[in-house]
Amino acid sequence: MEEYSMPMQRLSAIYAGRAADREDLFQDIFLAVWRALPAFRGDASTRTWLYRIAHNVALTWRARDRRRQVREGPLQDEIDAGAEMNLRRLALKRAVAAMPPGDRTLILLWLEGLSAAEIEDVTGIRAATVAVRLSRARKALQPNEVTP
Amino acid sequence: MSDDALPLRTLWMSDMPVDEDEMTSAIAQVLEKDRVARAKDRRIRLFGVLAMALLIPSLVWFAAHGVTPLVRGAYALMAIGCAVLLAAEWAYLEWSRQALPGPADARSQLQTTAFMLARQIRLLETAPLWSSPVFIGVGLIALWLYQERTHSAAFALCAVTLTAWIAAGLRAASASAKLNGQRLQMERLLNELQ
């Protein structure tokens, strides 16, 4: 799990804007993984298995509380720390967080280095569709990414 | 993937590594959360088993040995109502458990969760109906009080029963509306993923 803690934290940061929510979401992901572990038979790769659980928790977590959807903009509390943070990375995170949920899920997985086939495994969307949607989402991302 | 993939991914993954103490603390909190959730689950089950073991047999006994047929019928209805309540509670918890996010792909997970939420919503919407045997049973006891004892006690019991029935219905309707909001959100997400 430690190996995947950074990707899970990045994912939490995109779905939850506030630090307290991020921590909650990260813990919920960890808890879901912990509970699913006994049923893990190793017939899927550990990486895609973890991403499946993490994205399912994140999507459900956000959908379960309407207040989370209308809270202040994503990554609000990181803006103050922006001076010390790489501004381009922050801009990228904000651009990803502002995407529609479907595209955001795909682009998150792609940024984490998953192939279209692995993304199909995680999301259930066909690899060919994933490739088309990713191409469109990346185009939308580029101008935002360079402008903090 | 295309050439622009590398700089974006490098930028994306250039976060500072997680502090080891922070990680240990997160693990401890998760294990504690798990322990609390399991303890709560055990308490609910224990309560269900106790109710089954104590309440329902007592109601059945009163149904068999009540002073009049009206009282016996009232207790029989309450026993049936309690059994139905327990079954509904068990089904609700089971569907909540099945709706928890697991290792299925996102589309299947969202479909399952939306389906389970729809079941829970239907259960809540019909709560005034399936909880009616308990309230009707108490109402019959009030009728017996009216016939055999004091009118004031009968009216008081009737008022309490009606209030409880209405309150239970309103609470179920409110919970159902909340779950329906979640279900609609799940379906929106599902549409966006497709």
Side-chain angles (χ1 to χ4, degrees):
Chain A
M1 185 66 194
E2 272 182 43
E3 188 189 336
Y4 292 100
S5 64
M6 275 312 293
M8 297 309 143
Q9 291 219 332
R10 283 193 289 265
L11 183 143
S12 305
I14 294 304
Y15 281 96
R18 302 188 331 170
D21 286 346
R22 279 203 295 278
E23 203 175 310
D24 273 357
L25 177 55
F26 180 68
Q27 284 181 18
D28 282 357
I29 292 171
F30 204 124
L31 187 59
V33 170
W34 173 258
R35 285 177 176 168
L37 261 178
F40 181 57
R41 294 189 303 270
D43 46 3
S45 89
T46 314
R47 187 159 83 140
T48 53
W49 181 79
L50 274 168
Y51 277 114
R52 270 192 241 150
I53 296 177
H55 277 270
N56 288 338
V57 172
L59 290 170
T60 313
W61 183 85
R62 205 163 160 97
R64 285 234 154 125
D65 189 347
R66 240 181 252 179
R67 284 169 301 177
R68 284 172 190 146
Q69 296 151 34
V70 294
R71 266 178 198 160
E72 77 272 27
L75 306 169
Q76 202 64 43
D77 55 351
E78 281 194 32
I79 293 168
D80 296 337
E84 290 180 17
M85 199 179 173
N86 183 324
L87 285 177
R88 287 185 73 220
R89 196 175 68 222
L90 179 58
L92 175 62
K93 279 187 174 182
R94 290 171 73 181
V96 172
M99 286 181 143
D103 288 347
R104 184 172 54 206
T105 301
L106 298 182
I107 209 85
L108 266 172
L109 293 166
W110 173 77
L111 284 167
E112 290 294 343
L114 271 74
S115 67
E118 285 175 314
I119 295 176
E120 177 181 358
D121 194 19
V122 173
T123 60
I125 302 171
R126 282 186 302 125
T129 312
V130 167
V132 172
R133 288 183 64 175
L134 272 178
S135 160
R136 200 178 53 209
R138 279 204 308 270
K139 273 181 197 149
L141 197 61
Q142 284 292 346
N144 290 323
E145 181 267 314
V146 290
T147 317
Chain B
M1 299 287 173
S2 67
D3 291 343
D4 61 354
L6 196 60
L8 272 179
R9 280 176 170 168
T10 311
L11 185 63
W12 178 254
M13 296 198 203
S14 59
D15 274 347
M16 297 293 285
V18 182
D19 183 66
E20 209 169 292
D21 289 343
E22 210 174 289
M23 190 68 191
T24 313
S25 146
I27 292 171
Q29 280 175 340
V30 166
L31 295 181
E32 177 61 15
K33 234 183 192 179
D34 188 49
R35 193 192 62 74
V36 170
R38 280 174 201 277
K40 187 182 169 192
D41 192 45
R42 263 200 305 274
R43 273 200 304 277
I44 292 171
R45 279 172 203 279
L46 188 68
F47 175 76
V49 170
L50 273 178
M52 279 286 224
L54 297 174
L55 186 63
I56 294 176
S58 310
L59 289 170
V60 169
W61 189 89
F62 283 118
H65 301 92
V67 287
T68 66
L70 183 67
V71 170
R72 286 198 289 276
Y75 279 112
L77 269 178
M78 281 193 266
I80 292 168
C82 281
V84 172
L85 281 175
L86 278 174
E89 177 77 15
W90 178 82
Y92 188 88
L93 289 175
E94 184 60 22
W95 293 336
S96 301
R97 194 188 58 75
Q98 285 176 27
L100 286 177
D105 66 73
R107 275 177 61 191
S108 311
Q109 178 67 58
L110 288 173
Q111 278 166 347
T112 307
T113 307
F115 181 68
M116 291 300 158
L117 283 173
R119 278 183 166 186
Q120 287 175 301
I121 290 164
R122 271 200 301 278
L123 188 69
L124 286 170
E125 280 171 349
T126 52
L129 189 69
W130 50 255
S131 63
S132 61
V134 173
F135 297 110
I136 293 172
V138 182
L140 291 178
I141 296 289
L143 180 63
W144 176 79
L145 282 175
Y146 184 84
Q147 290 170 346
E148 307 289 333
R149 298 286 190 271
T150 62
H151 288 190
S152 56
F155 286 133
L157 186 59
C158 233
V160 169
T161 309
L162 263 179
T163 309
W165 199 351
I166 291 168
L170 289 176
R171 204 171 156 211
S174 149
S176 157
K178 193 177 163 201
L179 288 188
N180 202 35
Q182 288 175 18
R183 188 184 61 82
L184 291 174
Q185 184 63 21
M186 293 283 172
E187 281 176 358
R188 260 197 296 277
L189 276 172
L190 198 55
N191 283 337
E192 286 193 37
L193 270 180
Q194 278 163 350

